Amino acid sequence: MVERMIEKKTSDRPGRILHRDISLAFFRIGMLGFGGGPSSIPLVHKEVVKKYEWMTEDEFGDTLALANTLPGPIATKMAGYIGYRVAGVWGCLNALFASVFPTVLLMIVFLGLLQTYKDIPWVQHMSASVVPVVAVMLGVLTWDFIKKSGETLGWLRAIMMLVVSGVLIEALNIHPAIVILGCILIVFLPLLKRRKKV
Amino acid sequence: MIYWHIFLAFFIPGILGYGGGPASIPLVEHEVVGKYEWMTTQEFSEVVAIGNSLPGPIATKMAGYIGYTEAGILGSIVALFASVAPSLILMIFMMAILMKYKDEPEVKNLTMLIRPVIAILLLFMTIQFAQESVEGIGIGYTLLLMAVSYILLEKIKLHPAIVIALALLFGALTG
């Protein structure tokens, strides 16, 4: 029912205007979302639910919940999926391009400038002064993750997980990918076993 | 070969980074600085710093830029494809399946269980950056810059872009 309503809503808009809307919506989200993908979620909500009404509140909530359980960058999962829902494969590509391309271009221009002049001593000192600031930003992000782990897993289990994964990765030099795959297996094995019984 | 390496370097963080783009930063660092040695820690920290002060998703900014510096425009496209496509394809095709299981506790537990692993990766990276900074500009400047930027970022809630700009200005004036 909801599905049909949405299809009707989008078919009111001729293709070219719909694609212009998708471009503009995700361009604005990309250029205004400071602090990486997760901080741009409220902007996605504003454009997709409030402004263009491509999704209802509930559908947006479900999409976000699922995007959160899957790996990978959240902003492009949302953009690609919403673009796909609204206007098929081209809508998907359009939304991805609009949210990714402008900011990658900015990156290349800014870092290119820094690279060009990197042999001048004061430019060297300038870029070295950024390192401690990044350390602080990463430290804050680390604490966010630890706090959230403690809140959701309970502090005892969170600290155990922290210590175990720390030892595995740093002391035993196991690739982080293997540790994460191990977690995925631990979580899904009971689910698979239960399915077999049913 | 280089394109295959670029693909792998961004495919692995893309498929394992639970918690969005920022969670994949330590995984990208592991590949780009640790495994393929395309960049030094210093260069990578510049990428993270500029990436943090510009708008837009962080994972794709890093992928697009690092792919570009390693192998031009095609490298950039390969890196972007590797970090975006696998998780997006999963998203589109598994939507129906996951919808059925989304209330299963296991699916909800997954993000919970992986979060501390990401936290420990971020912690190691923080320590590595602090060490790098002490080697580069000395312990005095490092502690000063860390203390001031912490206060500006967390207490005064100044925008990261402004703090990075101030650090660049400070470095230029004292250099």
Side-chain angles (χ1 to χ4, degrees), chain B residues 79-155:
Chain B
L80 280 172
F81 178 81
S83 59
V84 165
S87 57
L88 178 59
I89 291 168
L90 264 181
M91 176 90 188
I92 290 174
F93 286 97
M94 286 178 63
M95 195 72 179
I97 304 168
L98 271 166
M99 270 301 190
K100 226 162 54 182
Y101 292 114
K102 79 177 158 104
D103 293 325
E104 296 279 355
E106 279 84 357
V107 176
K108 285 182 181 162
N109 283 343
L110 190 59
T111 313
M112 253 165 61
L113 203 62
I114 287 175
R115 206 177 274 128
V117 183
I118 301 288
I120 211 78
L121 285 170
L122 283 166
L123 180 67
F124 291 141
M125 236 176 114
T126 308
I127 295 168
Q128 194 186 340
F129 274 68
Q131 276 171 349
E132 173 88 14
S133 175
V134 170
E135 280 161 27
I137 55 174
I139 191 147
Y141 273 144
T142 300
L143 288 178
L144 177 70
L145 279 166
M146 284 179 81
V148 172
S149 58
Y150 178 78
I151 292 165
L152 292 179
L153 284 168
E154 292 303 303
K155 300 295 166 212

Side-chain angles (χ1 to χ4, degrees), chain A:
Chain A
M1 182 60 205
V2 181
E3 197 86 20
R4 230 173 288 146
M5 256 169 60
I6 281 176
E7 264 165 42
K8 188 163 167 286
K9 212 165 256 159
T10 55
S11 64
D12 288 345
R13 310 280 279 170
R16 210 186 305 157
I17 295 177
L18 178 63
H19 274 290
R20 199 200 57 198
D21 286 349
I22 294 174
S23 287
L24 278 176
F26 287 98
F27 174 74
R28 275 195 297 260
I29 294 165
M31 291 304 277
L32 296 173
F34 282 91
S39 60
S40 70
I41 299 298
L43 297 170
V44 179
H45 179 259
K46 203 178 121 204
E47 299 283 340
V48 170
V49 180
K50 293 266 154 61
K51 183 158 187 199
Y52 293 108
E53 296 177 3
W54 287 325
M55 280 181 162
T56 64
E57 288 283 351
D58 283 352
E59 285 173 313
F60 185 82
D62 281 346
T63 309
L64 183 59
L66 284 166
N68 263 325
T69 58
L70 289 173
I74 195 112
T76 52
K77 264 182 298 187
M78 296 291 283
Y81 179 72
I82 294 166
Y84 179 76
R85 274 278 299 259
V86 175
V89 173
W90 286 108
C92 170
L93 291 176
N94 187 355
L96 277 179
F97 184 80
S99 52
V100 163
F101 182 72
T103 56
V104 170
L105 206 63
L106 276 179
M107 259 316 252
I108 291 174
V109 169
F110 269 80
L111 281 160
L113 276 175
L114 210 55
Q115 288 295 313
T116 314
Y117 299 108
K118 73 173 174 190
D119 291 331
I120 305 168
W122 67 266
V123 175
Q124 262 172 17
H125 200 260
M126 196 168 97
S127 54
S129 298
V130 166
V131 180
V133 181
V134 175
V136 168
M137 286 174 170
L138 288 169
V140 170
L141 197 61
T142 308
W143 178 238
D144 282 348
F145 271 77
I146 292 178
K147 212 167 52 185
K148 200 83 188 283
S149 303
E151 281 161 10
T152 51
L153 278 173
W155 280 103
L156 190 69
R157 280 205 288 168
I159 291 168
M160 257 168 53
M161 281 295 295
L162 284 168
V163 171
V164 169
S165 53
V167 168
L168 288 176
I169 293 167
E170 212 43 34
L172 301 177
N173 253 323
I174 294 174
H175 194 288
I178 296 171
V179 178
I180 292 176
L181 281 174
C183 290
I184 296 175
L185 274 180
I186 291 170
V187 166
F188 279 104
L189 275 181
L191 186 70
L192 288 177
K193 264 187 209 151
R194 208 168 61 216
R195 297 248 68 217
K196 265 183 203 152
K197 269 186 220 154
V198 179

Side-chain angles (χ1 to χ4, degrees), chain B residues 41-90:
Chain B
T41 307
Q42 156 96 41
E43 285 168 326
F44 189 77
S45 85
E46 281 165 24
V47 175
V48 176
I50 303 289
N52 258 327
S53 32
L54 291 174
I58 191 107
T60 52
K61 265 181 299 187
M62 291 199 306
Y65 174 74
I66 296 170
Y68 178 78
T69 55
E70 286 315 302
I73 291 172
L74 192 56
S76 179
I77 293 170
V78 169
L80 280 172
F81 178 81
S83 59
V84 165
S87 57
L88 178 59
I89 291 168
L90 264 181

